[in-house]
Amino acid sequence: MKEPTIMDVARQAGVSVATVSRVLNGSTLVNASTQEKVMEVIRSMQYTPNAIGKQLRSQKTMTIAVVVPDISITYCVEIIKGIENTANPLHYKIIICDAQNKPEKEREFMTLLVSRTVDALVLVTPSQTDAELAAYADNGYTLGVIGRDAGHDAIPCALTDNVKLTRQVMSHLIGHGHTRIAFLSGFATAIDSYERLEGYMKGLQEARLPFVPELVDNGDFTEDGGYAAFMRLRERNPGLTAVFAANDEMALGVHKACGELGIPIPGGMAIVGVDNSRITNYVRPPISSVEQPLQTMGVLLAGKLIDQMNANEQAGRRVFKIDSTLIVKGSSSLKEAEEGQR
Amino acid sequence: MKEPTIMDVARQAGVSVATVSRVLNGSTLVNASTQEKVMEVIRSMQYTPNAIGKQLRSQKTMTIAVVVPDISITYCVEIIKGIENTANPLHYKIIICDAQNKPEKEREFMTLLVSRTVDALVLVTPSQTDAELAAYADNGYTLGVIGRDAGHDAIPCALTDNVKLTRQVMSHLIGHGHTRIAFLSGFATAIDSYERLEGYMKGLQEARLPFVPELVDNGDFTEDGGYAAFMRLRERNPGLTAVFAANDEMALGVHKACGELGIPIPGGMAIVGVDNSRITNYVRPPISSVEQPLQTMGVLLAGKLIDQMNANEQAGRRVFKIDSTLIVKGSSSLKEAEEGQR
DNA sequence: GAGCGGACTGTAATCGTTTACAATGGTTTT
DNA sequence: AAAACCATTGTAAACGATTACAGTCCGCTC
């Protein structure tokens, strides 16, 4: 079970290791007949080059690590697929790292970069601060961020335009006559929470509606959190007619709460979420949600990152700010609700 | 941005590389004061050992690759989590490989093993034949399989007891008075399809019900496939009152079809699926489904695999055949349907 | 005081590649 | 015919770690 090495091949073929290496790497400086002979030996021995040896010598692993906060959420999976779609054709391998929502795990994965196990690292909605990330970038490590702008020249970023996104939702709701619209944020540290809140306020302002702090609550991005937050919101604001949740999980919680309280959707309460996850189409009525082109974000970011590694181009800030689309469904539009009777 | 190497540390600390290495690996044969000094230098230089160098020398990567057919399905994600839970505390890293349902991709990932990029490889419901897998095992590569019994002494396997699982479902349905029960299989090559079909037949036999070939159809494990298959089944069998789908996706397809045709669930049609995926709880009525302890399967398999690598124990066949539990919900029980009004 | 053993440290080989440089032999140029 | 060149191949030095083996130094025993 001892693997044959390049030396075994060389001996068997009666040439030097250099020649075998040249054949392996498709160098032109090798005689056609020698090439043939070496290839034959390689085939007969079932030789496969040892990746570690290669990596040590070339100082490259052709591998990119993708660190996601939670492998079970579709948001992350879509991004991973996008990255894979760019990276694989360029012969880069992807390794997926699940931080299990633990900041310390995320930080642990950074050592993959430092120990040179991977050439680059993509962080999806990292918990680390911009300053922490900047420190890595300043030390010459290649990394990219998805979900926010890390604000560093050497760190390409891909993110959705949260303000635009939110204003889109607000104008939809306001257009349907809602004036008392609640906003459900995720945990306070998340940039998405902040930016979407900002967009919420801007949307109100443009429609000359007052901003009422009681209409804002936090649901921690989870279904249960959304459920609880909605209960609180409702208590505080009896006149509430619409909820904008910063993600679908919380929207689901609101949906559930309404079901239990016998509040009709969308007549008694309109609901809009973000992510347009599959499950929003399976509840009755389905939940309106904003679709983000996640795969595209992955594709763009990975492309940029690989360019950066190969071309050594430090072409300044590279931030992809990407627009998303509101998918209106039964939870916020009576018309849709009546049509879509599955 | 040049990484410091162990030699830089040695020079700076005025000792040899051997000593530094000993400090790094916690060897006892090093003077306390030297140790202190070396540690200090390591800290001040921010030295992190180069993983590639280490791997080349030790011929170990402490990494296990997990190859899944599709990263977007929860089935796979749960298994991954189980593996991670065992492997991480034992200092093994996991790399997740998404075969995107393409057999050629899966085969590509096998080279990770051959090129020594990883120490072991876990295949989740592999598309390769037992013989192909056996060839790897015979060449001394460490691999494990989840989802079926690969039938090789050196390949530990974790799988659900499909026959038991199916009979459980059948007795539930038969107990509720159903006599014309359809079986929806996945693609024919999948072992699950075959075994579950077998269980279906045994279940009928035990209840002295006839096996009617027209009551079996194939839905390719997808929602659309299940939808289409149900339409065909219904045409062929007007008296149909229950469907057992070999996974939840197909069950969802049946659920959708019934919704469109106005067939009441469970009164007009009872539905049972397998996997107990989250989404089954969000449709109305929720779909009864069999829950498999997927994380447990991952945990057991990974544990066995690591044992095998460390202890060199070739302790013969190691197959974990695991029981699952039917979760009865509204789609197959009127009682549940009436209670669970969300 | 020679011999021995223990505690610690250093030297150098090794893992499997790639690649700069040198070497070879043959052909063309001058 | 010497020089220059080309195509092809080989030698050996990296890459960054671990570790067998060989010191060195010191204190202890006989």
Side-chain angles (χ1 to χ4, degrees):
Chain A
M1 91 131 259
K2 192 78 187 52
E3 284 300 297
T5 74
I6 199 171
M7 284 183 51
D8 299 323
V9 174
R11 199 173 316 123
Q12 183 87 16
V15 299
S16 74
V17 292
T19 301
V20 177
S21 177
R22 282 190 269 257
V23 169
L24 284 169
N25 296 293
S27 165
T28 53
L29 335 167
V30 52
N31 186 292
S33 71
T34 317
Q35 162 140 349
E36 198 55 48
K37 184 176 55 184
V38 172
M39 293 282 245
E40 179 49 36
V41 173
I42 287 176
R43 224 169 303 134
S44 77
M45 297 182 94
Q46 301 224 57
Y47 167 74
T48 308
N50 180 302
I52 310 288
K54 189 169 189 155
Q55 288 170 17
L56 178 58
R57 170 63 215 222
S58 67
Q59 301 286 74
K60 274 187 192 161
T61 62
M62 297 302 283
T63 305
I64 299 173
V66 184
V67 181
V68 298
D70 183 348
I71 184 82
S72 12
I73 59 182
T74 39
Y75 176 89
C76 296
V77 174
E78 288 302 304
I79 291 171
I80 290 169
K81 287 189 173 174
I83 296 176
E84 230 156 20
N85 287 346
T86 309
N88 285 345
L90 297 171
H91 304 106
Y92 276 86
K93 292 185 202 327
I94 292 301
I95 89 175
I96 304 165
C97 306
D98 181 10
Q100 303 177 4
N101 286 315
K102 295 177 194 151
E104 71 271 20
K105 276 246 169 200
E106 183 185 305
R107 220 163 290 129
E108 236 174 72
F109 286 126
M110 301 300 286
T111 65
L112 290 177
L113 206 49
V114 184
S115 69
R116 296 290 174 202
T117 306
V118 300
D119 295 343
L121 192 142
V122 176
L123 291 154
V124 177
T125 59
S127 61
Q128 288 165 95
T129 64
D130 285 356
E132 288 177 281
L133 299 179
Y136 283 98
D138 288 338
N139 280 323
Y141 297 108
T142 309
L143 73 171
V145 167
I146 288 185
R148 77 161 191 261
D149 182 352
H152 189 287
D153 270 7
I155 306 180
C157 302
L159 50 129
T160 40
D161 189 330
N162 271 316
V163 175
K164 255 193 203 169
L165 175 160
T166 314
R167 287 162 85 179
Q168 203 178 352
V169 172
M170 291 304 284
S171 77
H172 165 65
L173 289 173
I174 293 169
H176 275 67
H178 296 281
T179 55
R180 300 197 63 102
I181 304 167
F183 176 69
L184 251 178
S185 70
F187 24 87
T189 55
I191 184 79
D192 286 347
S193 292
Y194 175 74
E195 289 187 352
R196 287 174 193 169
L197 175 58
E198 194 183 347
Y200 165 77
M201 290 165 65
K202 282 228 178 91
L204 289 174
Q205 200 178 322
E206 280 168 17
R208 309 197 182 287
L209 290 171
F211 169 63
V212 185
E214 285 77 35
L215 281 169
V216 176
D217 210 318
N218 174 357
D220 275 347
F221 287 135
T222 66
E223 181 175 0
D224 289 347
Y227 178 95
F230 177 73
M231 293 302 192
R232 293 193 296 269
L233 277 168
R234 210 148 160 281
E235 186 125 339
R236 289 203 299 268
N237 310 278
L240 191 63
T241 64
V243 178
F244 171 35
N247 79 345
D248 282 341
E249 289 299 316
M250 295 190 292
L252 280 169
V254 175
H255 193 278
K256 181 177 172 192
C258 289
E260 289 180 4
L261 297 173
I263 303 173
I265 305 173
M269 191 67 60
I271 306 174
V272 178
V274 175
D275 282 349
N276 197 32
S277 52
R278 183 180 179 201
I279 210 164
T280 58
N281 298 314
Y282 286 76
V283 294
R284 296 296 100 171
I287 301 176
S288 301
S289 189
V290 181
E291 181 167 84
Q292 302 171 265
L294 297 167
Q295 285 214 22
T296 308
M297 289 169 59
V299 165
L300 291 174
L301 187 79
K304 186 67 202 158
L305 214 54
I306 293 174
D307 275 3
Q308 188 171 313
M309 288 194 285
N310 295 340
N312 252 40
E313 48 138 337
Q314 294 294 48
R317 299 294 295 114
R318 219 64 211 98
V319 176
F320 302 102
K321 206 161 198 175
I322 295 169
D323 286 345
S324 43
T325 346
L326 170 63
I327 313 287
V328 177
K329 302 176 214 166
S331 75
S332 68
S333 161
L334 206 51
K335 185 166 145 279
E336 302 289 331
E338 277 164 1
E339 278 172 12
Q341 292 291 43
R342 202 205 242 243
Chain B
M1 94 132 256
K2 191 76 187 55
E3 285 301 297
T5 73
I6 199 172
M7 285 182 52
D8 299 324
V9 174
R11 200 173 317 125
Q12 183 88 15
V15 299
S16 74
V17 292
T19 302
V20 178
S21 176
R22 282 189 271 256
V23 170
L24 283 169
N25 297 293
S27 166
T28 54
L29 337 164
V30 53
N31 184 294
S33 72
T34 317
Q35 164 142 350
E36 199 54 49
K37 185 176 53 181
V38 173
M39 292 282 244
E40 179 50 34
V41 173
I42 287 175
R43 225 170 302 136
S44 78
M45 299 183 91
Q46 302 224 57
Y47 167 75
T48 307
N50 179 303
I52 310 288
K54 190 170 188 155
Q55 288 170 18
L56 179 58
R57 172 61 217 225
S58 67
Q59 301 285 72
K60 272 184 193 164
T61 62
M62 297 302 282
T63 304
I64 299 174
V66 184
V67 181
V68 299
D70 184 349
I71 185 79
S72 12
I73 60 183
T74 39
Y75 175 89
C76 296
V77 174
E78 288 303 303
I79 290 171
I80 290 169
K81 287 188 173 173
I83 295 176
E84 230 155 21
N85 288 346
T86 309
N88 286 345
L90 297 171
H91 304 108
Y92 276 85
K93 292 184 200 330
I94 292 302
I95 90 175
I96 304 165
C97 307
D98 180 10
Q100 303 177 5
N101 287 313
K102 295 177 194 150
E104 71 271 20
K105 277 244 170 203
E106 183 185 304
R107 220 163 289 131
E108 237 173 70
F109 287 125
M110 301 300 286
T111 65
L112 290 177
L113 205 50
V114 183
S115 70
R116 297 291 174 203
T117 306
V118 301
D119 295 344
L121 193 142
V122 177
L123 291 154
V124 177
T125 58
S127 60
Q128 288 164 96
T129 64
D130 286 356
E132 287 177 281
L133 299 178
Y136 283 98
D138 288 337
N139 280 322
Y141 297 108
T142 309
L143 71 171
V145 167
I146 289 186
R148 76 159 191 262
D149 181 352
H152 189 288
D153 270 6
I155 307 180
C157 303
L159 50 131
T160 40
D161 189 330
N162 271 318
V163 174
K164 255 194 202 167
L165 175 160
T166 313
R167 286 160 87 178
Q168 204 178 350
V169 173
M170 292 304 285
S171 76
H172 165 66
L173 289 173
I174 293 169
H176 275 68
H178 295 281
T179 54
R180 299 197 62 102
I181 304 169
F183 176 70
L184 250 179
S185 69
F187 24 85
T189 54
I191 185 78
D192 286 346
S193 291
Y194 175 74
E195 289 187 354
R196 287 172 194 171
L197 176 58
E198 195 183 346
Y200 166 78
M201 289 164 66
K202 283 227 179 92
L204 290 173
Q205 199 178 324
E206 279 169 17
R208 307 197 185 286
L209 289 172
F211 168 63
V212 184
E214 284 76 35
L215 280 170
V216 176
D217 209 320
N218 174 0
D220 275 346
F221 286 136
T222 66
E223 180 176 0
D224 289 348
Y227 178 94
F230 177 72
M231 292 304 191
R232 292 193 296 269
L233 278 168
R234 202 139 170 287
E235 184 125 341
R236 287 204 299 268
N237 309 279
L240 192 63
T241 63
V243 178
F244 171 34
N247 80 343
D248 282 341
E249 289 299 317
M250 296 189 291
L252 279 169
V254 176
H255 193 278
K256 181 179 173 191
C258 289
E260 290 180 4
L261 296 174
I263 302 173
I265 306 173
M269 190 68 58
I271 306 175
V272 178
V274 176
D275 280 351
N276 198 29
S277 52
R278 183 180 179 201
I279 210 164
T280 58
N281 298 313
Y282 286 76
V283 292
R284 296 297 98 172
I287 302 175
S288 302
S289 190
V290 181
E291 180 166 84
Q292 302 171 266
L294 296 167
Q295 286 214 23
T296 308
M297 289 170 58
V299 165
L300 291 174
L301 187 78
K304 186 65 202 161
L305 214 54
I306 293 173
D307 275 3
Q308 189 171 312
M309 288 193 284
N310 295 340
N312 253 38
E313 48 140 336
Q314 294 294 49
R317 298 294 294 117
R318 220 63 212 95
V319 176
F320 301 103
K321 206 161 197 174
I322 295 168
D323 286 345
S324 43
T325 347
L326 172 63
I327 313 287
V328 177
K329 302 175 213 164
S331 74
S332 67
S333 160
L334 207 51
K335 183 166 145 281
E336 302 289 331
E338 276 164 1
E339 280 172 11
Q341 292 291 43
R342 200 207 242 240

